Amino acid sequence: MTKHFILACLLMAALCLPSRASFVLSSGGKARCVIVQSTNATQPEIYAAKDLTQILEQITDAKFSLLSTHATGKQLCIIVGPGPAASSLFPEIDFTKFGPEEFVMRIKGRHLLLAGGRPRGTMYAVNRFLQEQCGVRWWTPWTTNIPHQANLRIGKLDVHIKPVFEYRGPYWFSGFEPAWKAHNCVNNESHEIPKELGGSITYKGYCHTFYPLVPPAKYFATHSEWYCLVNGQRTHDNAQLCLTNPKLRDFMVERVKEWLRESPDASIISVTQNDCDGHCECPDCKALDDAEGSHSGTMLSFANYIAEKIEPEFPNVAVDTFAYQYTRKPPKTLKARHNVIVRLCSIECNFRQPLDHPVNAAFLSDLEQWSKISSRLYIWDYVTDFSHYIYPHPNWFVLGPNIRTFQKYGVKGVFEEGAYASHGAEMAELRAWVLAQLMWNPGLDDRALIQEFLNGYYGKAAAKPIRQYLELLHQNSKDYFLACYMRKDPPYLRFDTLAPAEKLWQEAEKLAATDSEKLQRIRIAHLPLRCAWLSCWPALRREAWEKNQAWPLSESRKAVADEWREVANGQPGKDWTVVRTMNEHGQSVDDFLKGVADDIPDTNGPPPPKRLLKAKPPADLEGIDPKKCIDLQENLAGLYKPGKYAEIRPDTAASDLRTVWLPPNHQEWAFRLSGTSLPAKAKNGKWKVYAVIRVEKRSNAAPETPAFGVGVFNNKSRSYPAEMKVKIGDASEAYHSYLLGTVELNSDCDIWVAPPGNKEIKALYVDRIYLVPAS
């Protein structure tokens, strides 16, 4: 026996024997352990063992043996699932007491145990082991990160996990695929997970089930008293049920039993209000709701009654009901039965801020109170803009805080409703994955998860500008009420934000140019920003030239729309690249592009001349010292109904080549320069206030007809320190400086201009307000 042979044997023995610090799975591309599957394994446990074997082989390039019995006491073994081997080697663990998703990951001597309760515990043990110990990431159904390590060893491991939330549902189209859900420990009922993958929590019905259970078409004619009394009339139009009616209650009990007999696998049945108000105003319902201080009084009383009556036949089924809109406020005295699930909905909240932020104080108060009276409180949260799936929606950095708030108040289930109709929704893949991780472990760092996803899905180089984009929109939406249906004028859709955002996405595309797969992902993720450009094109064009900023896209909206369509149409054989639906109402890509795919007159071709930053003083004001005067250009003014009642336009006759156009068909103060925007210098001493205006007259205009009004209004005293009305005969078609008066200005003084509200002029143009010292 040679010296080299002995050394080789010793080395091999060292590799095969576990040290106190590690469990060796492979070395040098060779398997150093076997995988043992229980002889009485369930379908999910069989799947988990095979999945573990295949993925370890992909990681290490080693060939692992999958055995059905424990071969030898000397060999390193991974024990998958409860069974004889697990019980003999780990007698301290009593799997009969484990919940359906509870599991352990434990190394003891030569054995690594990955096992848990049934049906999903063992599968989750394997999936979390592969993710947390081996670095596997199931980003999306079409993208998995499997690291390559010829030498794979695990340090000390002793983990016993029971999920924080019994129900976990990130409801995003990109997260519907059953294997992705199983790998990421998602268990909600939508797009049901097959039993061989562990199955999912099964609802019978899901939401807004009052009328499916008691169809008006079938019962209203003969039992109108079962339906709501609204304004003195029984109705089923945009209404609910009469929840105190005894016969309806007993009928509902039988209907619920019928549904459950049809679906023996269901563990939850939905008995939930319709998606409207229309609560019952009959004396009995009103009395109960008044006593409880909320319409949740009748709702919870009704759910409790149903739950009590079905329990003998269906002891393992819970009745699910809503705390939604008019029933969101908890009742004063009622409590939910142990077999009632209350789903509290956050639809009214500001999703730019965490749900524990003061702006959401009413919701947080309801959450706190419901947590005290409901042992199984679920949350229905909203994490997209349902009116604009493919638009920026900067709620990324509240996902983690909100999940932790739910945990704090003992919530048992979380449903995060996102864009569920199509691929292509804004940051859909990121939200689905991050939410899945947080629902499993709320203690994870949500911002670190976001960064990890960006690095893994888009590539580390491109991840940097994309993360900067997220931070940019987060910062620029700071004081905006971000609803789940977009409100008017989001500040993050203005040119000052969209222009740098566009440059960041263009940079990301350049950094991924050599990787076609990642480039395609980035181009799809870029679509929401481009959607905003296309939708807001005219206003953004005006804002760009008004601010003397370079336009970051093609000058042709049609060219941008054509490129958008090309990306949205996707690539053959890759369904995840195809965008089909733009919003909850089903708007198609073609319908969206019909409104934005054409070039717009006056917004294409050469841009207007740049604004002059140092305008000359008014030519008709002689003997003034410009250095002592204050030039308040039109861009400082607030415009009422911009684009309709007022609009900034290019004008070569104006002092800075810009003017505010006011149509004559109204009398609103559509040009209003707020006193709060006046420079400090203007608030010292008295000033002669001039409005520099020109009037485009009609040829037959009567000279005595009003041309415009202009004045100074003190918001505090509700008085007019200066005001004048100019007639057409006294108005100039060239810019003229009209003296309003001599005024001592302050922050309460607004300077306004209004058109005449008649058709005697074509338009009014306001160049600027010019202040000259009174002495």
Side-chain angles (χ1 to χ4, degrees), residues 87-112:
S87 297
S88 63
L89 295 168
F90 296 84
E92 70 277 13
I93 301 174
D94 184 358
F95 288 104
T96 64
K97 296 181 179 179
F98 273 39
E101 298 177 336
E102 190 175 356
F103 66 80
V104 292
M105 297 187 290
R106 181 174 297 177
I107 293 174
K108 188 169 71 172
R110 299 173 180 271
H111 304 99
L112 164 59

PDB file of all heavy atoms in Angstrom, residues 87-112:
ATOM      1  N   SER A  87     -38.504   8.805  12.737  1.00  0.00           N
ATOM      2  CA  SER A  87     -38.889   8.510  14.118  1.00  0.00           C
ATOM      3  C   SER A  87     -37.775   7.828  14.897  1.00  0.00           C
ATOM      4  O   SER A  87     -37.567   8.105  16.088  1.00  0.00           O
ATOM      5  CB  SER A  87     -40.144   7.622  14.126  1.00  0.00           C
ATOM      6  OG  SER A  87     -41.236   8.309  13.543  1.00  0.00           O
ATOM      7  N   SER A  88     -37.024   6.915  14.231  1.00  0.00           N
ATOM      8  CA  SER A  88     -35.956   6.197  14.933  1.00  0.00           C
ATOM      9  C   SER A  88     -34.738   7.073  15.152  1.00  0.00           C
ATOM     10  O   SER A  88     -34.066   6.971  16.186  1.00  0.00           O
ATOM     11  CB  SER A  88     -35.572   4.938  14.151  1.00  0.00           C
ATOM     12  OG  SER A  88     -35.038   5.286  12.878  1.00  0.00           O
ATOM     13  N   LEU A  89     -34.430   7.944  14.199  1.00  0.00           N
ATOM     14  CA  LEU A  89     -33.232   8.781  14.297  1.00  0.00           C
ATOM     15  C   LEU A  89     -33.485  10.075  15.062  1.00  0.00           C
ATOM     16  O   LEU A  89     -32.553  10.654  15.620  1.00  0.00           O
ATOM     17  CB  LEU A  89     -32.700   9.097  12.901  1.00  0.00           C
ATOM     18  CG  LEU A  89     -32.195   7.882  12.097  1.00  0.00           C
ATOM     19  CD1 LEU A  89     -31.966   8.266  10.644  1.00  0.00           C
ATOM     20  CD2 LEU A  89     -30.900   7.353  12.709  1.00  0.00           C
ATOM     21  N   PHE A  90     -34.729  10.514  15.082  1.00  0.00           N
ATOM     22  CA  PHE A  90     -35.075  11.768  15.771  1.00  0.00           C
ATOM     23  C   PHE A  90     -36.281  11.507  16.683  1.00  0.00           C
ATOM     24  O   PHE A  90     -37.362  12.072  16.472  1.00  0.00           O
ATOM     25  CB  PHE A  90     -35.400  12.876  14.755  1.00  0.00           C
ATOM     26  CG  PHE A  90     -34.247  13.268  13.877  1.00  0.00           C
ATOM     27  CD1 PHE A  90     -33.958  12.552  12.717  1.00  0.00           C
ATOM     28  CD2 PHE A  90     -33.430  14.335  14.206  1.00  0.00           C
ATOM     29  CE1 PHE A  90     -32.893  12.908  11.910  1.00  0.00           C
ATOM     30  CE2 PHE A  90     -32.365  14.700  13.404  1.00  0.00           C
ATOM     31  CZ  PHE A  90     -32.076  13.976  12.250  1.00  0.00           C
ATOM     32  N   PRO A  91     -36.125  10.664  17.682  1.00  0.00           N
ATOM     33  CA  PRO A  91     -37.259  10.292  18.538  1.00  0.00           C
ATOM     34  C   PRO A  91     -37.817  11.457  19.348  1.00  0.00           C
ATOM     35  O   PRO A  91     -38.941  11.375  19.860  1.00  0.00           O
ATOM     36  CB  PRO A  91     -36.661   9.219  19.452  1.00  0.00           C
ATOM     37  CG  PRO A  91     -35.194   9.504  19.470  1.00  0.00           C
ATOM     38  CD  PRO A  91     -34.873  10.009  18.097  1.00  0.00           C
ATOM     39  N   GLU A  92     -37.049  12.522  19.484  1.00  0.00           N
ATOM     40  CA  GLU A  92     -37.501  13.669  20.267  1.00  0.00           C
ATOM     41  C   GLU A  92     -38.595  14.472  19.558  1.00  0.00           C
ATOM     42  O   GLU A  92     -39.223  15.361  20.161  1.00  0.00           O
ATOM     43  CB  GLU A  92     -36.315  14.588  20.575  1.00  0.00           C
ATOM     44  CG  GLU A  92     -35.732  15.346  19.380  1.00  0.00           C
ATOM     45  CD  GLU A  92     -34.735  14.531  18.548  1.00  0.00           C
ATOM     46  OE1 GLU A  92     -34.666  13.291  18.726  1.00  0.00           O
ATOM     47  OE2 GLU A  92     -34.022  15.155  17.719  1.00  0.00           O
ATOM     48  N   ILE A  93     -38.825  14.195  18.271  1.00  0.00           N
ATOM     49  CA  ILE A  93     -39.802  14.954  17.490  1.00  0.00           C
ATOM     50  C   ILE A  93     -41.083  14.144  17.348  1.00  0.00           C
ATOM     51  O   ILE A  93     -41.056  13.009  16.849  1.00  0.00           O
ATOM     52  CB  ILE A  93     -39.242  15.310  16.092  1.00  0.00           C
ATOM     53  CG1 ILE A  93     -37.963  16.130  16.227  1.00  0.00           C
ATOM     54  CG2 ILE A  93     -40.283  16.071  15.288  1.00  0.00           C
ATOM     55  CD1 ILE A  93     -37.276  16.398  14.907  1.00  0.00           C
ATOM     56  N   ASP A  94     -42.207  14.713  17.752  1.00  0.00           N
ATOM     57  CA  ASP A  94     -43.502  14.050  17.632  1.00  0.00           C
ATOM     58  C   ASP A  94     -44.279  14.703  16.486  1.00  0.00           C
ATOM     59  O   ASP A  94     -44.924  15.740  16.657  1.00  0.00           O
ATOM     60  CB  ASP A  94     -44.275  14.170  18.940  1.00  0.00           C
ATOM     61  CG  ASP A  94     -45.600  13.410  18.904  1.00  0.00           C
ATOM     62  OD1 ASP A  94     -45.922  12.829  17.848  1.00  0.00           O
ATOM     63  OD2 ASP A  94     -46.302  13.413  19.931  1.00  0.00           O
ATOM     64  N   PHE A  95     -44.213  14.084  15.310  1.00  0.00           N
ATOM     65  CA  PHE A  95     -44.841  14.672  14.135  1.00  0.00           C
ATOM     66  C   PHE A  95     -46.365  14.638  14.207  1.00  0.00           C
ATOM     67  O   PHE A  95     -47.035  15.362  13.458  1.00  0.00           O
ATOM     68  CB  PHE A  95     -44.364  13.957  12.863  1.00  0.00           C
ATOM     69  CG  PHE A  95     -42.947  14.284  12.502  1.00  0.00           C
ATOM     70  CD1 PHE A  95     -41.923  13.375  12.740  1.00  0.00           C
ATOM     71  CD2 PHE A  95     -42.628  15.497  11.930  1.00  0.00           C
ATOM     72  CE1 PHE A  95     -40.610  13.679  12.408  1.00  0.00           C
ATOM     73  CE2 PHE A  95     -41.321  15.806  11.590  1.00  0.00           C
ATOM     74  CZ  PHE A  95     -40.304  14.895  11.842  1.00  0.00           C
ATOM     75  N   THR A  96     -46.929  13.822  15.080  1.00  0.00           N
ATOM     76  CA  THR A  96     -48.388  13.765  15.187  1.00  0.00           C
ATOM     77  C   THR A  96     -48.960  15.057  15.741  1.00  0.00           C
ATOM     78  O   THR A  96     -50.157  15.320  15.604  1.00  0.00           O
ATOM     79  CB  THR A  96     -48.822  12.584  16.085  1.00  0.00           C
ATOM     80  OG1 THR A  96     -48.343  12.809  17.417  1.00  0.00           O
ATOM     81  CG2 THR A  96     -48.281  11.273  15.552  1.00  0.00           C
ATOM     82  N   LYS A  97     -48.111  15.872  16.358  1.00  0.00           N
ATOM     83  CA  LYS A  97     -48.565  17.140  16.931  1.00  0.00           C
ATOM     84  C   LYS A  97     -48.289  18.328  16.008  1.00  0.00           C
ATOM     85  O   LYS A  97     -48.575  19.465  16.378  1.00  0.00           O
ATOM     86  CB  LYS A  97     -47.897  17.365  18.288  1.00  0.00           C
ATOM     87  CG  LYS A  97     -48.295  16.322  19.334  1.00  0.00           C
ATOM     88  CD  LYS A  97     -47.624  16.615  20.679  1.00  0.00           C
ATOM     89  CE  LYS A  97     -48.051  15.585  21.724  1.00  0.00           C
ATOM     90  NZ  LYS A  97     -47.392  15.828  23.042  1.00  0.00           N
ATOM     91  N   PHE A  98     -47.735  18.056  14.839  1.00  0.00           N
ATOM     92  CA  PHE A  98     -47.387  19.139  13.913  1.00  0.00           C
ATOM     93  C   PHE A  98     -48.623  19.611  13.153  1.00  0.00           C
ATOM     94  O   PHE A  98     -49.511  18.825  12.799  1.00  0.00           O
ATOM     95  CB  PHE A  98     -46.331  18.663  12.913  1.00  0.00           C
ATOM     96  CG  PHE A  98     -44.923  18.826  13.399  1.00  0.00           C
ATOM     97  CD1 PHE A  98     -44.594  18.574  14.725  1.00  0.00           C
ATOM     98  CD2 PHE A  98     -43.913  19.226  12.540  1.00  0.00           C
ATOM     99  CE1 PHE A  98     -43.289  18.716  15.180  1.00  0.00           C
ATOM    100  CE2 PHE A  98     -42.610  19.368  12.984  1.00  0.00           C
ATOM    101  CZ  PHE A  98     -42.299  19.114  14.306  1.00  0.00           C
ATOM    102  N   GLY A  99     -48.657  20.916  12.885  1.00  0.00           N
ATOM    103  CA  GLY A  99     -49.687  21.473  12.027  1.00  0.00           C
ATOM    104  C   GLY A  99     -49.443  21.097  10.579  1.00  0.00           C
ATOM    105  O   GLY A  99     -48.394  20.551  10.227  1.00  0.00           O
ATOM    106  N   PRO A 100     -50.373  21.422   9.691  1.00  0.00           N
ATOM    107  CA  PRO A 100     -50.279  20.981   8.284  1.00  0.00           C
ATOM    108  C   PRO A 100     -49.106  21.578   7.521  1.00  0.00           C
ATOM    109  O   PRO A 100     -48.727  21.049   6.479  1.00  0.00           O
ATOM    110  CB  PRO A 100     -51.609  21.428   7.683  1.00  0.00           C
ATOM    111  CG  PRO A 100     -52.098  22.526   8.571  1.00  0.00           C
ATOM    112  CD  PRO A 100     -51.625  22.170   9.943  1.00  0.00           C
ATOM    113  N   GLU A 101     -48.520  22.668   8.039  1.00  0.00           N
ATOM    114  CA  GLU A 101     -47.393  23.297   7.348  1.00  0.00           C
ATOM    115  C   GLU A 101     -46.182  23.471   8.270  1.00  0.00           C
ATOM    116  O   GLU A 101     -45.199  24.100   7.885  1.00  0.00           O
ATOM    117  CB  GLU A 101     -47.824  24.660   6.781  1.00  0.00           C
ATOM    118  CG  GLU A 101     -48.933  24.546   5.755  1.00  0.00           C
ATOM    119  CD  GLU A 101     -49.409  25.885   5.243  1.00  0.00           C
ATOM    120  OE1 GLU A 101     -49.248  26.913   5.946  1.00  0.00           O
ATOM    121  OE2 GLU A 101     -49.946  25.916   4.124  1.00  0.00           O
ATOM    122  N   GLU A 102     -46.233  22.918   9.426  1.00  0.00           N
ATOM    123  CA  GLU A 102     -45.148  23.009  10.404  1.00  0.00           C
ATOM    124  C   GLU A 102     -44.037  22.035  10.021  1.00  0.00           C
ATOM    125  O   GLU A 102     -44.309  20.936   9.525  1.00  0.00           O
ATOM    126  CB  GLU A 102     -45.705  22.659  11.773  1.00  0.00           C
ATOM    127  CG  GLU A 102     -44.795  22.919  12.954  1.00  0.00           C
ATOM    128  CD  GLU A 102     -45.506  22.656  14.269  1.00  0.00           C
ATOM    129  OE1 GLU A 102     -46.724  22.349  14.240  1.00  0.00           O
ATOM    130  OE2 GLU A 102     -44.845  22.752  15.316  1.00  0.00           O
ATOM    131  N   PHE A 103     -42.780  22.395  10.232  1.00  0.00           N
ATOM    132  CA  PHE A 103     -41.692  21.495   9.841  1.00  0.00           C
ATOM    133  C   PHE A 103     -40.429  21.757  10.658  1.00  0.00           C
ATOM    134  O   PHE A 103     -40.314  22.766  11.352  1.00  0.00           O
ATOM    135  CB  PHE A 103     -41.383  21.605   8.348  1.00  0.00           C
ATOM    136  CG  PHE A 103     -40.830  22.937   7.902  1.00  0.00           C
ATOM    137  CD1 PHE A 103     -39.487  23.256   8.070  1.00  0.00           C
ATOM    138  CD2 PHE A 103     -41.648  23.878   7.301  1.00  0.00           C
ATOM    139  CE1 PHE A 103     -38.973  24.465   7.654  1.00  0.00           C
ATOM    140  CE2 PHE A 103     -41.147  25.099   6.873  1.00  0.00           C
ATOM    141  CZ  PHE A 103     -39.801  25.395   7.054  1.00  0.00           C
ATOM    142  N   VAL A 104     -39.495  20.818  10.516  1.00  0.00           N
ATOM    143  CA  VAL A 104     -38.162  20.978  11.111  1.00  0.00           C
ATOM    144  C   VAL A 104     -37.106  20.777  10.029  1.00  0.00           C
ATOM    145  O   VAL A 104     -37.293  20.008   9.083  1.00  0.00           O
ATOM    146  CB  VAL A 104     -37.910  19.979  12.265  1.00  0.00           C
ATOM    147  CG1 VAL A 104     -38.787  20.291  13.439  1.00  0.00           C
ATOM    148  CG2 VAL A 104     -38.118  18.548  11.791  1.00  0.00           C
ATOM    149  N   MET A 105     -35.992  21.478  10.190  1.00  0.00           N
ATOM    150  CA  MET A 105     -34.744  21.222   9.451  1.00  0.00           C
ATOM    151  C   MET A 105     -33.678  21.033  10.527  1.00  0.00           C
ATOM    152  O   MET A 105     -33.394  21.976  11.266  1.00  0.00           O
ATOM    153  CB  MET A 105     -34.395  22.400   8.528  1.00  0.00           C
ATOM    154  CG  MET A 105     -35.411  22.678   7.433  1.00  0.00           C
ATOM    155  SD  MET A 105     -34.872  23.950   6.240  1.00  0.00           S
ATOM    156  CE  MET A 105     -34.939  25.425   7.251  1.00  0.00           C
ATOM    157  N   ARG A 106     -33.144  19.842  10.637  1.00  0.00           N
ATOM    158  CA  ARG A 106     -32.252  19.566  11.767  1.00  0.00           C
ATOM    159  C   ARG A 106     -31.126  18.623  11.333  1.00  0.00           C
ATOM    160  O   ARG A 106     -31.378  17.614  10.661  1.00  0.00           O
ATOM    161  CB  ARG A 106     -33.023  18.948  12.927  1.00  0.00           C
ATOM    162  CG  ARG A 106     -32.180  18.647  14.173  1.00  0.00           C
ATOM    163  CD  ARG A 106     -33.065  18.179  15.323  1.00  0.00           C
ATOM    164  NE  ARG A 106     -34.010  19.235  15.722  1.00  0.00           N
ATOM    165  CZ  ARG A 106     -34.940  19.078  16.658  1.00  0.00           C
ATOM    166  NH1 ARG A 106     -35.067  17.914  17.297  1.00  0.00           N
ATOM    167  NH2 ARG A 106     -35.750  20.069  16.973  1.00  0.00           N
ATOM    168  N   ILE A 107     -29.905  18.959  11.726  1.00  0.00           N
ATOM    169  CA  ILE A 107     -28.751  18.085  11.537  1.00  0.00           C
ATOM    170  C   ILE A 107     -28.391  17.475  12.883  1.00  0.00           C
ATOM    171  O   ILE A 107     -28.254  18.185  13.886  1.00  0.00           O
ATOM    172  CB  ILE A 107     -27.541  18.849  10.969  1.00  0.00           C
ATOM    173  CG1 ILE A 107     -27.831  19.328   9.535  1.00  0.00           C
ATOM    174  CG2 ILE A 107     -26.289  17.970  10.992  1.00  0.00           C
ATOM    175  CD1 ILE A 107     -26.751  20.218   8.954  1.00  0.00           C
ATOM    176  N   LYS A 108     -28.285  16.140  12.894  1.00  0.00           N
ATOM    177  CA  LYS A 108     -27.869  15.429  14.095  1.00  0.00           C
ATOM    178  C   LYS A 108     -26.954  14.288  13.661  1.00  0.00           C
ATOM    179  O   LYS A 108     -27.388  13.356  12.986  1.00  0.00           O
ATOM    180  CB  LYS A 108     -29.069  14.882  14.867  1.00  0.00           C
ATOM    181  CG  LYS A 108     -28.690  14.298  16.230  1.00  0.00           C
ATOM    182  CD  LYS A 108     -29.911  14.014  17.096  1.00  0.00           C
ATOM    183  CE  LYS A 108     -30.708  12.844  16.583  1.00  0.00           C
ATOM    184  NZ  LYS A 108     -31.790  12.431  17.537  1.00  0.00           N
ATOM    185  N   GLY A 109     -25.675  14.397  13.996  1.00  0.00           N
ATOM    186  CA  GLY A 109     -24.710  13.377  13.588  1.00  0.00           C
ATOM    187  C   GLY A 109     -24.603  13.309  12.080  1.00  0.00           C
ATOM    188  O   GLY A 109     -24.324  14.299  11.409  1.00  0.00           O
ATOM    189  N   ARG A 110     -24.853  12.133  11.540  1.00  0.00           N
ATOM    190  CA  ARG A 110     -24.730  11.906  10.102  1.00  0.00           C
ATOM    191  C   ARG A 110     -26.037  12.152   9.350  1.00  0.00           C
ATOM    192  O   ARG A 110     -26.129  11.824   8.164  1.00  0.00           O
ATOM    193  CB  ARG A 110     -24.284  10.451   9.852  1.00  0.00           C
ATOM    194  CG  ARG A 110     -22.940  10.082  10.455  1.00  0.00           C
ATOM    195  CD  ARG A 110     -22.685   8.588  10.305  1.00  0.00           C
ATOM    196  NE  ARG A 110     -21.399   8.224  10.892  1.00  0.00           N
ATOM    197  CZ  ARG A 110     -20.246   8.237  10.225  1.00  0.00           C
ATOM    198  NH1 ARG A 110     -20.220   8.590   8.963  1.00  0.00           N
ATOM    199  NH2 ARG A 110     -19.124   7.908  10.824  1.00  0.00           N
ATOM    200  N   HIS A 111     -27.019  12.710  10.017  1.00  0.00           N
ATOM    201  CA  HIS A 111     -28.340  12.800   9.414  1.00  0.00           C
ATOM    202  C   HIS A 111     -28.861  14.231   9.374  1.00  0.00           C
ATOM    203  O   HIS A 111     -28.765  14.966  10.364  1.00  0.00           O
ATOM    204  CB  HIS A 111     -29.320  11.900  10.175  1.00  0.00           C
ATOM    205  CG  HIS A 111     -28.875  10.474  10.241  1.00  0.00           C
ATOM    206  ND1 HIS A 111     -28.240   9.940  11.351  1.00  0.00           N
ATOM    207  CD2 HIS A 111     -28.939   9.485   9.319  1.00  0.00           C
ATOM    208  CE1 HIS A 111     -27.946   8.671  11.117  1.00  0.00           C
ATOM    209  NE2 HIS A 111     -28.360   8.371   9.888  1.00  0.00           N
ATOM    210  N   LEU A 112     -29.436  14.553   8.234  1.00  0.00           N
ATOM    211  CA  LEU A 112     -30.118  15.830   8.037  1.00  0.00           C
ATOM    212  C   LEU A 112     -31.591  15.515   7.839  1.00  0.00           C
ATOM    213  O   LEU A 112     -31.971  14.791   6.911  1.00  0.00           O
ATOM    214  CB  LEU A 112     -29.561  16.562   6.811  1.00  0.00           C
ATOM    215  CG  LEU A 112     -30.390  17.725   6.242  1.00  0.00           C
ATOM    216  CD1 LEU A 112     -30.603  18.816   7.281  1.00  0.00           C
ATOM    217  CD2 LEU A 112     -29.724  18.299   4.991  1.00  0.00           C
TER     218      LEU A 112
END
